[in-house]
Amino acid sequence: MKPTTVIFTSKNIPSYLAPILLIFILFTSSITLAQEAILQEKIAKIQELLSSVEANKLTFNQELTTSSPGYYDYTVREVNSKGNEVATTYSFALSDINTNAVRSFTKRDVFLIELTVKGKQKLIKRITDEGDKIAYIPSFTLYGLNADNGRDLENAIEDAIPEAIEVDKKTLVLNSYDEHLQWLKNNISNINLPKHEIVQQLNPDAKRPGLVILERTLGSKKERFEFNLSLLNPNSVNYKISGDEFLIEMGTKKDIAGIKFHSDDVLKGYTDKVLFYANSLANGKNIHKVLKGVAPLAKTEFDSSKPDVTTIENALKYINDNIDGIESDGRTTVQNLALDDYMSTFSQKETISDKNEEHLYFFNLTDINENSISFKDKKTRLYLVLNTNKGDYYIGHTLNGETEDYEKQLFVYFNSYDEALIGKEALQSLIKHFENQTIKSTEEYETSLEEALSLLSNEIKPVQSTNLQYEQQIELLETETSTFRFTKIESSSKKTIENVFEFSAQDLNKQNSKVKVSGKRVWAEIGIKSSEKLVKVYEDGEVQNYENSIEIEAPSIENAKSIVAILKQLAASQNK
């Protein structure tokens, strides 16, 4: 009998622990050998109960052999009256058999004992045509000599299953991440099937913890999968059996398409599942077991290897080092993130054949929702989606120097999922840092009419849009009633309109004042309490209907924010 497979390494084991470890392994191995001996005794009883069964037209010759502890080949040879023989072999692990589903019954002139896999999974390998035909099935039957013999067989099989389960638990014992990885490297190997061969090999990336490359050749077709084992979901491992192919499928956490897939050395895109071929039932079950165990260990390994991105310098460096020169979808994308305090400029230069595009994005990092940064893929492109808080259109955008409409999200491209994952953490670190600074600097303070006027005069500026130009100014008309006059002159190539708004700071509504965006236009919308129409309006000197808000044009989001903040502060001070 084979002893338990225990893989260990002396690396990092203190010398004084070595004898204790050796005693433990020897003790464990002796227990396993004893369990295997007990199981073999129970299997011997089953073998004794199997006999040649004669039916009306056929004779069934049965044989049960051990391929390895817990794994068995049951062969039945059907012989007809002319002496012609048809042999069928069923390979199975006794630990897979559902104890409660072992049953005996009669069918015409034979007494049968049926064995069914737990969950009716197709984990029984059926071999016919002298090995030329292979299929995987969920159940098979043995033949009883008579009712008494059949019931004895049923009881003997039920009695052996619990022991087989215990032996199976101790057949492959792996502890560390390195042990799991080495086992997968050694045991994900070539598959020889009756009609074709599959060549496969799994290799770890020595420089990037958790990253592995699975290469496979099916006939003339080459496939390559690149992924980080920490991305895989241990609860997603399942058997995917088709015809004579025994496969183990594993998916990613949250079904993220983070597995990079190449076909014939051409990047085809990203997927959320990967398949491993097994060369035997035992090999497949072990691959299933090791994959389930390696994922959480790989996450620990990957997490411990992550660079420190908690400082501005480190976070910015990591992002820029990993977004510069992304090759995908027939294009090269060169990206860079620059910071001026919390204000960001994100450049994205794309080359597609002979066409070049340069995108520039301008935004305040604190406007990005750190909790909604998500992973996306499209064709061969993997990227992070950065969304603004509340979906506000607060991201300025130019294309080849021309102003575009404001955006509410932008994409940051990466070469791999694990790089994007750390990139996400780096971006979140930057956002948190500046959010903390912003919280400290936004404490309310009282402001006088004169102070507010001075601040507003610095912020209210001329604004040039595509077809319109705005000249704007604000002045304090009367201190006693806190009345201001805001003048906005709108000019186009065809006409000029002067709009004058008179309002009292006492009527301002702090809650209804906000930044507004539409296309390329940005303005500060200042609201009046209860939306009452208390703003006196003149157009080219003519009195107009009263309004319940004032629109102050702004050249940028930050400028509009400043105007709103000053007027909110003024409203709060006037209403204390």
Side-chain angles (χ1 to χ4, degrees):
M1 300 178 192
K2 292 182 180 178
T4 303
T5 303
V6 181
I7 300 176
F8 70 98
T9 174
S10 60
K11 183 174 68 173
N12 298 327
I13 297 175
S15 58
Y16 67 88
L17 286 180
I20 299 173
L21 181 60
L22 181 59
I23 291 169
F24 173 76
I25 292 169
L26 291 173
F27 177 70
T28 305
S29 298
S30 65
I31 292 175
T32 305
L33 288 170
Q35 287 176 325
E36 290 179 7
I38 294 170
L39 176 59
Q40 190 54 42
E41 286 178 11
K42 295 183 184 244
I43 295 301
K45 185 176 180 181
I46 297 171
Q47 291 169 327
E48 289 172 6
L49 289 168
L50 287 172
S51 61
S52 181
V53 176
E54 292 188 9
N56 185 27
K57 295 181 180 180
L58 296 170
T59 298
F60 301 94
N61 297 319
Q62 307 174 95
E63 181 184 22
L64 182 69
T65 58
T66 303
S67 56
S68 63
Y71 289 84
Y72 305 96
D73 293 330
Y74 166 71
T75 301
V76 58
R77 293 178 174 83
E78 299 178 9
V79 184
N80 63 19
S81 57
K82 295 181 180 179
N84 297 324
E85 181 180 284
V86 176
T88 303
T89 297
Y90 301 90
S91 297
F92 66 101
L94 188 58
S95 60
D96 288 334
I97 302 301
N98 185 348
T99 309
N100 299 321
V102 178
R103 67 187 186 103
S104 58
F105 59 95
T106 58
K107 185 177 181 180
R108 292 193 289 272
D109 58 345
V110 291
F111 195 94
L112 302 173
I113 302 91
E114 184 178 55
L115 280 66
T116 303
V117 175
K118 298 166 189 172
K120 295 185 178 179
Q121 296 184 91
K122 294 180 179 181
L123 293 181
I124 297 166
K125 185 179 182 180
R126 184 181 64 195
I127 305 168
T128 55
D129 292 349
E130 298 181 346
D132 288 339
K133 192 172 181 181
I134 296 172
Y136 288 87
I137 57 175
S139 63
F140 71 101
T141 54
L142 290 73
Y143 294 85
L145 185 61
N146 50 46
D148 288 337
N149 172 258
R151 282 191 290 270
D152 288 343
L153 264 172
E154 180 182 358
N155 292 333
I157 291 166
E158 289 175 345
D159 184 51
I161 291 172
E163 205 66 48
I165 292 171
E166 291 304 311
V167 169
D168 182 65
K169 288 178 182 177
K170 296 177 175 63
T171 299
L172 181 61
V173 180
L174 304 173
N175 297 304
S176 70
Y177 168 71
D178 287 340
E179 291 170 8
H180 283 75
L181 191 61
Q182 188 62 46
W183 190 94
L184 290 170
K185 185 178 185 303
N186 293 341
N187 291 275
I188 293 176
S189 55
N190 299 344
I191 314 298
N192 290 307
L193 297 171
K195 295 182 179 178
H196 63 291
E197 181 184 19
I198 298 166
V199 177
Q200 65 175 0
Q201 186 175 26
L202 183 78
N203 288 308
D205 187 314
K207 296 181 180 179
R208 294 164 65 185
L211 188 72
V212 295
I213 299 170
L214 175 65
E215 294 183 289
R216 186 160 54 224
T217 302
L218 300 92
S220 60
K221 184 180 178 182
K222 291 182 179 179
E223 295 179 338
R224 186 167 85 252
F225 299 85
E226 298 175 17
F227 55 96
N228 199 296
L229 289 166
S230 64
L231 169 64
L232 301 182
N233 179 0
N235 298 320
S236 71
V237 190
N238 66 81
Y239 298 106
K240 197 85 172 177
I241 297 163
S242 177
D244 60 359
E245 296 179 343
F246 191 105
L247 301 102
I248 300 90
E249 181 185 69
M250 195 168 187
T252 59
K253 295 169 186 172
K254 299 180 181 180
D255 299 324
I256 291 172
I259 299 171
K260 203 170 188 178
F261 171 59
H262 292 79
S263 178
D264 294 327
D265 297 322
V266 176
L267 178 61
K268 291 296 183 181
Y270 292 82
T271 179
D272 60 357
K273 290 181 178 64
V274 62
L275 292 167
F276 303 86
Y277 285 81
N279 56 35
S280 69
L281 176 63
N283 177 245
K285 282 172 59 64
N286 284 334
I287 290 174
H288 184 289
K289 182 177 182 179
V290 177
L291 285 173
K292 194 174 183 70
V294 78
L297 294 171
K299 185 179 186 310
T300 301
E301 192 80 8
F302 176 64
D303 287 346
S304 66
S305 71
K306 288 179 184 176
D308 175 23
V309 292
T310 57
T311 67
I312 295 176
E313 182 181 1
N314 288 355
L316 191 60
K317 184 178 187 308
Y318 182 87
I319 292 166
N320 285 328
D321 284 350
N322 289 276
I323 63 174
D324 183 24
I326 308 298
E327 300 284 345
S328 63
D329 200 21
R331 71 184 72 192
T332 300
T333 306
V334 177
Q335 304 165 109
N336 182 265
L337 178 66
L339 297 181
D340 182 4
D341 202 2
Y342 50 78
M343 291 305 298
S344 305
T345 301
F346 180 64
S347 64
Q348 206 171 64
K349 299 177 183 179
E350 293 197 327
T351 303
I352 313 167
S353 300
D354 57 350
K355 181 182 177 183
N356 295 316
E357 290 183 354
E358 182 173 2
H359 299 264
L360 287 177
Y361 298 92
F362 311 94
F363 59 97
N364 184 326
L365 265 175
T366 64
D367 286 332
I368 302 299
N369 188 332
E370 65 174 285
N371 298 314
S372 73
I373 299 175
S374 59
F375 300 90
K376 293 289 183 182
D377 70 288
K378 185 178 181 181
K379 295 183 179 178
T380 62
R381 313 199 83 189
L382 178 70
Y383 52 94
L384 290 177
V385 181
L386 277 60
N387 297 287
T388 58
N389 296 311
K390 301 179 182 179
D392 291 323
Y393 286 81
Y394 281 4
I395 301 173
H397 179 205
T398 67
L399 172 59
N400 295 333
E402 297 293 326
T403 302
E404 299 288 311
D405 289 351
Y406 279 84
E407 308 277 0
K408 62 179 178 179
Q409 63 178 205
L410 62 85
F411 302 154
V412 183
Y413 296 94
F414 286 84
N415 271 318
S416 69
Y417 172 81
D418 49 339
E419 291 173 349
L421 179 62
I422 301 171
K424 175 181 176 180
E425 293 175 359
L427 284 163
Q428 289 174 325
S429 175
L430 290 172
I431 294 167
K432 285 177 184 176
H433 174 82
F434 290 113
E435 279 180 342
N436 291 336
Q437 281 193 347
T438 303
I439 291 170
K440 291 178 182 177
S441 64
T442 54
E443 296 180 2
E444 286 194 356
Y445 60 91
E446 286 195 27
T447 182
S448 67
L449 296 172
E450 290 75 14
E451 287 173 330
L453 178 63
S454 176
L455 292 170
L456 288 169
S457 297
N458 288 330
E459 295 293 341
I460 295 175
K461 305 173 182 178
V463 175
Q464 177 71 55
S465 68
T466 306
N467 299 314
L468 295 173
Q469 182 176 330
Y470 299 93
E471 294 291 337
Q472 306 176 112
Q473 68 173 24
I474 192 165
E475 55 189 307
L476 180 60
L477 282 185
E478 188 177 323
T479 303
E480 185 176 341
T481 58
S482 306
T483 302
F484 285 83
R485 175 187 289 157
F486 169 64
T487 303
K488 178 165 66 173
I489 301 172
E490 180 183 303
S491 302
S492 69
S493 59
K494 295 182 179 179
K495 61 180 179 177
T496 297
I497 300 173
E498 180 186 71
N499 290 293
V500 177
F501 305 85
E502 293 180 0
F503 62 94
S504 171
Q506 298 172 11
D507 294 330
L508 296 179
N509 187 326
K510 182 178 176 182
Q511 280 69 39
N512 279 357
S513 296
K514 64 193 73 172
V515 175
K516 301 282 282 186
V517 182
S518 178
K520 301 172 186 177
R521 182 191 171 210
V522 182
W523 69 96
E525 183 174 274
I526 312 304
I528 301 300
K529 290 178 185 176
S530 304
S531 296
E532 289 187 76
K533 294 185 176 182
L534 301 177
V535 179
K536 193 170 186 179
V537 183
Y538 299 87
E539 183 179 306
D540 292 334
E542 298 290 328
V543 176
Q544 305 295 311
N545 293 337
Y546 277 83
E547 297 287 348
N548 59 9
S549 65
I550 307 107
E551 293 183 358
I552 303 174
E553 306 299 320
S556 69
I557 297 293
E558 292 306 301
N559 177 245
K561 281 185 186 179
S562 296
I563 294 170
V564 169
I566 295 165
L567 286 165
K568 279 186 175 183
Q569 195 71 51
L570 179 60
S573 300
Q574 288 291 306
N575 291 285
K576 282 189 177 180

